Amino acid sequence: MDATIDAPAAPPPTDRPTARATGVTRAPDGSLVVRVRRGRLSARLDARSVAVTAVALGLATLVFAWSLTLGDYPLSLGDVVRTLVGQGEQRHEFIVRTLRLPRGLTGLLVGASLGLAGAVFQRIMRNPLASPDLIGISNGAAAAAVFVIVVLGGSSTEVTWGALAGAVGTGAAIHLLAYKRGISGYRLVLVGVAVTAMMTSITSYLLTRAEIYEAQRAVVWLTGSLNARGWDHVRPLTVALAVLLPAVLALARHLRVLDLGDDAARGLGARADRVRSGLLLVATALVAVSVASAGPVSFVALVAPQIGRRLVGGSSAALVPSAALGALLLVASDLVARRVVAPTELPVGVVTAILGAPYLLILLARANRIGSAG
Amino acid sequence: MTATWEPLLSPGTALTDARMFGEPNTDVSTAADPRPGMTTVAGAPPARPDSGTAPARPAGRPRRTLLASGWSRAGGLLLAVAVLAVVAVCSIAFGSKPIPFGTVWDALWHNDGSNDHLIVRDLRVPRTLLGLGVGAALGLAGAIMQGVTRNPLADPGILGVDAGAALAVVLAIHAFSVTTLGGYVWFAFGGAALASAAVYLLGSLGRGGATPVKLALAGAALSALLRSISSAVLLLDVETLDQFRFWLAGSLAGRGPDIVAGTAPFVVAGIVMALLSARTLNTLSLGDDVARALGVRVQLARATSSLAVVVLCGAATAAAGPIGFVGLTVPHVARAICGPDYRWILPWSLVLAPTLLLGADTLGRVVARPGEIEVGVITAFVGAPFFIALVRRRKLASL
């Protein structure tokens, strides 16, 4: 990687010196480009993807704040804010800080991780169906969690650890099985499909052998739920995202170069194989952490990048916008799931597809660029 | 797409393929090589679809398939049919209750009313027939679906068949208190048909009609939507979940002759439709533009092929519940054996899929005596390691 890290600091091309300065320019395809340059580092931001990210994050924050006020014990937004800054009443303290805040944060972080991981997978595979749900990590976590629930009768903390172990184990197994002088994304997905089938069949075998109430508990977990998520879910997620998001962005700088073909990319200083397998590994880790925290919430990883790509347009991978949209989708879904049949709280996984699918279908029907794949 | 197809029609390629099929007069439209990066995965820009491990094959060099000549493919297919016959006999001969082979043989020809004869005639024979039909249907449907959507990850359920059938069964249990397998069949079939019609309609909206990417995405989106509704019902109603989880596992057990007879016409019709679509699929795999230039009515071809998938997969799911893996992986195995020509892929899938399914079902009855393990579970455990080995050994990246 050392060779590629220095790539952006290469001397600027002499023919267009103005484009290197900080400011807003117009790219050849007509889109606005924001450039930030400080010392040896420079960043090139697509104005439209910045806008999409900002709007999605703004909406996510609004929904998040609103979700803190709603519940069996309604609070005003003022109460919530006062409690958050430490000026609130004692009883509000417990409701906001212990019950609602960690749940909402888990939702934001899981949504962002899934959106980001999905965008990476779809981009590398160039296949809109190559979501992490398909390559077995979620299913490995699910099989392990159902095993803990049904056979061991474990507590919810034990289920979380079981799921994490399952996700990491399956992720490692897929990478090892697909490894053959480097990781080919295609081989990884096909191996993942086979592993998915095995894990799914373990899950359904365990479900048919279980007592019905354990089976129901397992089904709730399998749907993906944010119920009763506490700070011990938020902390590992925060650490993981803080490490993995910069890793993705660092590696993703080379994605556009990879489009030119592996040989050209190598000539330009990007090692295609390493970038690709590095990205796959990081995306796998993102999925593993988020599945362990919230269960295999379906569809976010598939739909967030699709929506992101369509809103941002162009050939952009839309990694950060996808993460923002994933976070928005998940907190909004959780809000609906909590309130729609209140006081019963549905698992969030039920709602993600109900909210996300129609929007994707509308975007598909209105698509003005035919055949824009993943 | 436009930039990718030029090398496809290079005369060297077409000639080589025509020689390999032993049909010197085959026209370009079907013999042209859907080259290794055949899908260019689903409409992606003409960059590398893969990590570059599968460079475009130079024209004129035979591709890496197991059986390269037409004769060896036909011979191999006969051998595969023989293996399937052996597996089918095993499926009748072995089961949870050990019955001597002589008794089984007698039972096939006359019924003396004994318990063993009843088991063979009323349970094992219908079950074997069902396994043959369901396996064949899933294998063919998978191969066609991958051809129609030009997506190697498309399984037959991608048109929403599984999710639609599942939702219909859930509603049947929840709202109409249907609890028999025979009662589920028509609900499942209806749900499958409605869901796939909706997917096709949604995928056809907008400019360009039903493009592969839009179909795949619409299918994935609508399936997720339907599945969510199912799980919402299941989470709020434990009794429905209690019934439904057994349907969900996918099994050939307990399906009586009436279910076999009811779904057989659809399976047979679907198989005929599927096999007739092989040539069109070859042309479609060149990309819409080329196919259109070669005189194929792309939208019509895609619609009829999809109809075959719905009939096949709908009947299979209605009869046996959702059985994954077979439809997705068997076509890849077939492609590894006989190359990218759908006139071979379809027959091979037709034979290999029921072999896997029946073999797995027989194994599931034998290993867990006196109980049994659902066929869906065994299929994955027998098939997945084999598939992984295949993925590692050969470059399956050819779609």
Side-chain angles (χ1 to χ4, degrees), chain A residues 5 11 57 77 112 184 199 240 272 282 284 286 314 320 337 350 364 366-367:
Chain A
I5 282 287
L57 279 184
L77 195 56
S184 131
M199 293 302 161
V282 175
T284 308
L286 278 171
V320 178
V350 169
L364 276 180
R366 292 179 48 197

Side-chain angles (χ1 to χ4, degrees), chain B residues 271-336:
Chain B
I271 289 176
V272 173
M273 286 164 69
L275 291 179
L276 287 178
S277 70
R279 286 174 71 94
T280 328
L281 284 177
N282 272 343
T283 322
L284 279 182
S285 67
L286 297 172
D288 289 5
D289 297 338
V290 181
R292 206 169 284 124
L294 291 168
V296 172
R297 293 167 70 183
V298 171
Q299 294 299 336
L300 184 71
R302 200 169 277 140
T304 47
S305 308
S306 306
L307 184 65
V309 171
V310 173
V311 172
L312 284 169
C313 188
T317 310
I323 295 179
F325 192 70
V326 177
L328 180 55
T329 51
V330 164
H332 283 282
V333 179
R335 206 172 283 117

Side-chain angles (χ1 to χ4, degrees), chain B residues 78-218:
Chain B
L78 275 182
L79 194 69
V81 171
V83 172
L84 176 59
V86 172
V87 172
V89 170
C90 289
S91 164
I92 297 178
F94 301 110
S96 320
K97 181 177 192 293
I99 300 175
F101 193 75
T103 319
V104 173
W105 186 253
D106 284 347
L108 286 181
W109 304 113
H110 57 86
N111 184 4
D112 68 0
S114 73
N115 230 350
D116 286 353
H117 279 211
L118 272 179
I119 288 177
V120 171
R121 294 180 74 96
D122 289 356
L123 297 179
R124 289 195 191 164
V125 171
R127 185 172 184 159
T128 304
L129 290 176
L130 186 74
L132 284 173
V134 168
L138 289 175
L140 270 182
I144 296 183
M145 209 58 237
Q146 291 175 7
V148 168
T149 58
R150 296 209 303 274
N151 193 321
L153 303 180
D155 71 344
I158 196 73
L159 278 182
V161 173
D162 285 358
L167 179 58
V169 171
V170 167
L171 291 180
I173 302 172
H174 178 72
F176 304 106
S177 309
V178 180
T179 50
T180 60
L181 287 172
Y184 296 158
V185 170
W186 300 112
F187 278 100
F189 211 170
L194 279 181
S196 37
V199 166
Y200 208 87
L201 210 68
L202 288 166
S204 318
L205 290 176
R207 251 173 70 181
T211 59
V213 182
K214 279 189 344 194
L215 269 187
L217 277 178

Side-chain angles (χ1 to χ4, degrees), chain A residues 126-127 177 179-180 186-187 193 197-198 201 207 209-210 212 216 220 259 262 276 299 306 347 350 353-354 357 365 371 373, chain B residues 41-43 45 47 50-51 151-153 206 217 221 224-225 228 235 238 245 325 328 372 374 377 380-381 384 391-392 397:
Chain A
R126 303 192 155 281
N127 190 325
L177 286 171
Y179 188 87
K180 190 180 175 188
Y186 195 88
R187 199 159 55 225
V193 164
M198 292 175 79
S201 58
L207 275 185
R209 264 53 177 187
I212 180 63
Q216 193 189 24
V220 170
D259 283 349
D262 285 6
R276 226 178 258 120
F299 204 57
Q306 287 298 322
V350 169
I354 295 177
Chain B
V41 174
D50 191 15
S51 67
N151 193 321
L153 303 180
L217 277 178
L225 184 64
S228 287
L235 288 165
V238 185
R245 59 184 171 149
F325 192 70
L328 180 55
E372 60 175 78
E374 287 85 356
V377 176
F381 268 83
V391 169
R392 286 183 58 83

Side-chain angles (χ1 to χ4, degrees), chain B residues 347-361:
Chain B
W348 272 96
S349 302
L350 177 70
V351 177
L352 289 178
T355 313
L356 171 61
L357 197 68
L358 268 187
D361 187 46

Side-chain angles (χ1 to χ4, degrees), chain B residues 334-347:
Chain B
R335 206 172 283 117
I337 292 175
C338 62
D341 183 353
Y342 278 93
R343 288 171 303 169
W344 286 107
I345 292 178
L346 293 183

Side-chain angles (χ1 to χ4, degrees), chain A residues 126-140:
Chain A
R126 303 192 155 281
N127 190 325
L129 297 183
S131 87
D133 310 345
L134 198 71
I135 70 156
I137 303 160
S138 315
N139 307 76

